[in-house]
Amino acid sequence: MRLLKKALAVGLASAMVFSMAGCGAGSKGTTAAPEATTAAETKKEETSAETTAEAVKDAVGGDVADKKVGISIYKFDDNFMTLYRTELQRYLTEDLGFKKENVVIQDGKGDQAEQTNQIQNFITQKYDVLILNLVQASSAPEITDMCKAAGIPVVYINREPDTQEEQRWSDDKINATYVGCDARQSGTYQGEEIFETSNKGDINGDGVVSYIMIQGDPENVDAQYRTEFSVKALTDSGMQVKELLKMRGDWDQAKAQQIAQDALTQYGDQIEVIFCNNDAMALGALQAIEAAGRTVNKDIYLVGVDALTEAVQNVIDGKQTGTVFNDHFSQARTAGDMAVKFIKGESVDNVNMVDYIKVTKDNAQEILDKLK
Ligand code: BGC
């Protein structure tokens, strides 16, 4: 009987968690990068949060409120990860019932050595589970071994360790998992957005789509795959392409503005498409495009990824051709759910992927409403 009650509670908890993840309702995001977030700053989810927390409490056979979650974000000063961490903190404390003081979020400041120290401190203080957005995904084997030795499960987010490492977790039954999106999908959507324009990206009609590519940090698989698959979607559709320039903008608006400005000076009208690996960089590129007197969707195309509020508004206003929703609500909630599963001692798949959503003028308003 007791077992049945527990099983029902688990079912209820996950059903609620997943239906909430699916509906995309959540806290209001801001694309500014505040110094730190507190749960009090985030918007309260309407009705079912308390019930969900109750169900989770039953399901773990105790109170998650007493469990400690250590989180480290690769750097706070990142537009997308700011939205992500705000939702993660809100979900853990308001919906899953962790005590605010037991959810500690550290800023990795873009420095792997500093972040490794933070993780070491979490381990020394016997945190129950860690949620980590690594500065360098290539540090995953070392960090995983540190956590494993201490018996602490780890949920990696956003920066995907390589497949060999992920395979090791399942082969060696290590309590580690990755929650993210398959970046190949986002790249493909970007290429499709260009192919679906009236001239398939070939504005000057010379039979070739000439583009520049502004990349994120190239160590990150998101940057690698978006770069590769955006172009591949065009060539797979039979288009000829010419890369005029490929440069790293490190996901950063100001760096991308400079790159786009220099490229527009050097290549002028030859540039038909600017691919940006994320929206922060697309916002920078747009500043340069407007300063150069060019007009998006008329004499140049521009695409990004993430669906930052400003970028989605730009899609509606015709100042950005398209973007791709990098669903931080579902990713944050899945990461929280995996942390709870580890605490409950349940088995967890080594990789958990969330879908991207293509954003064009057709659905931009709908996506913007979800973000608000
Ligand atoms: C996002 C970028 C972000 C990066 C951080 C990517 O998935 O698209 O905006 O800067 O993650 O790792």
Side-chain angles (χ1 to χ4, degrees):
M1 189 60 198
R2 212 181 121 77
L3 268 181
L4 180 65
K5 190 175 161 216
K6 194 164 167 178
L8 279 172
V10 175
L12 176 64
S14 22
M16 296 183 76
V17 163
F18 287 109
S19 71
M20 288 170 74
C23 78
S27 69
K28 185 180 168 83
T30 159
T31 54
E35 279 303 295
T37 51
T38 65
E41 280 165 11
T42 60
K43 198 169 137 188
K44 185 134 178 75
E45 188 88 35
E46 313 81 24
T47 48
S48 47
E50 269 177 31
T51 338
T52 310
E54 274 306 305
V56 170
K57 188 172 161 183
D58 264 13
V60 290
D63 201 343
V64 294
D66 293 326
K67 303 289 180 189
K68 295 199 287 182
V69 188
I71 301 171
S72 180
I73 300 296
Y74 93 101
K75 64 172 184 173
F76 276 10
D77 183 19
D78 176 293
N79 307 37
F80 173 73
M81 286 314 302
T82 299
L83 298 175
Y84 195 133
R85 97 180 120 96
T86 304
E87 174 60 13
L88 184 58
Q89 186 176 40
R90 189 205 62 75
Y91 186 64
L92 287 168
T93 56
E94 294 183 19
D95 291 1
L96 294 184
F98 289 90
K99 272 194 202 137
K100 282 173 195 161
E101 61 270 29
N102 285 347
V103 174
V104 172
I105 310 187
Q106 302 272 7
D107 180 359
K109 298 188 181 142
D111 179 342
Q112 187 57 60
E114 164 133 10
Q115 187 180 49
T116 303
N117 269 337
Q118 293 166 356
I119 296 167
Q120 195 60 63
N121 286 338
F122 283 141
I123 292 175
T124 311
Q125 292 165 38
K126 300 198 181 342
Y127 273 67
D128 295 285
V129 61
L130 303 186
I131 300 180
L132 302 178
N133 172 215
L134 292 180
V135 175
Q136 281 168 355
S138 56
S139 302
E142 181 200 341
I143 305 284
T144 306
D145 287 343
M146 275 164 52
C147 296
K148 182 184 162 217
I152 301 175
V154 51
V155 179
Y156 290 107
I157 57 168
N158 173 259
R159 302 190 140 196
E160 189 174 7
D162 64 28
T163 37
Q164 205 187 334
E165 171 64 1
E166 291 171 339
Q167 190 56 45
R168 181 174 79 101
W169 306 335
S170 65
D171 291 347
D172 297 354
K173 304 209 177 346
I174 295 173
N175 282 335
T177 187
Y178 174 70
V179 174
C181 297
D182 182 345
R184 286 171 285 205
Q185 190 185 33
S186 52
T188 302
Y189 285 160
Q190 287 187 295
E192 287 175 6
E193 286 168 4
I194 298 301
F195 187 71
E196 285 157 12
T197 60
S198 57
N199 42 27
K200 302 179 177 167
D202 182 16
I203 293 174
N204 59 20
D206 67 351
V208 180
V209 178
S210 302
Y211 67 90
I212 68 164
M213 178 69 67
I214 309 185
Q215 282 193 290
D217 143 31
E219 202 239 5
N220 188 324
V221 75
D222 285 4
Q224 293 162 14
Y225 278 153
R226 288 176 194 165
T227 298
E228 181 185 346
F229 282 78
S230 53
V231 175
K232 186 171 181 299
L234 282 176
T235 52
D236 283 355
S237 305
M239 299 304 287
Q240 301 239 33
V241 297
K242 181 176 178 192
E243 184 176 271
L244 298 169
L245 177 79
K246 178 164 74 185
M247 262 189 121
R248 62 185 285 178
D250 292 323
W251 308 114
D252 183 79
Q253 179 166 349
K255 284 189 189 172
Q257 180 181 2
Q258 190 62 50
I259 293 168
Q261 182 182 308
D262 293 347
L264 286 160
T265 306
Q266 187 174 353
Y267 300 104
D269 290 348
Q270 284 181 65
I271 305 176
E272 296 170 300
V273 177
I274 300 188
F275 284 109
C276 295
N277 283 171
N278 77 349
D279 277 346
M281 297 193 294
L283 294 173
L286 177 62
Q287 290 171 293
I289 288 170
E290 289 181 335
R294 304 278 296 268
T295 310
V296 172
N297 289 346
K298 189 166 152 251
D299 57 38
I300 194 163
Y301 293 118
L302 173 66
V303 287
V305 174
D306 280 342
L308 297 182
T309 313
E310 291 95 319
V312 179
Q313 188 61 53
N314 285 341
V315 173
I316 294 171
D317 297 342
K319 292 195 281 185
Q320 183 169 324
T321 310
T323 183
V324 179
F325 182 31
N326 191 358
D327 186 348
H328 58 278
F329 296 121
S330 298
Q331 289 177 74
R333 292 167 197 190
T334 306
D337 294 341
M338 296 307 136
V340 169
K341 269 176 174 267
F342 275 134
I343 289 173
K344 290 196 293 195
E346 287 181 6
S347 74
V348 171
D349 288 343
N350 60 342
V351 177
N352 303 273
M353 290 300 194
V354 165
D355 269 331
Y356 281 104
I357 300 173
K358 193 167 164 180
V359 184
T360 61
K361 232 176 170 145
D362 295 341
N363 65 342
Q365 188 59 53
E366 194 188 313
I367 297 291
L368 194 61
D369 293 342
K370 272 192 182 193
L371 296 171
K372 285 188 169 156

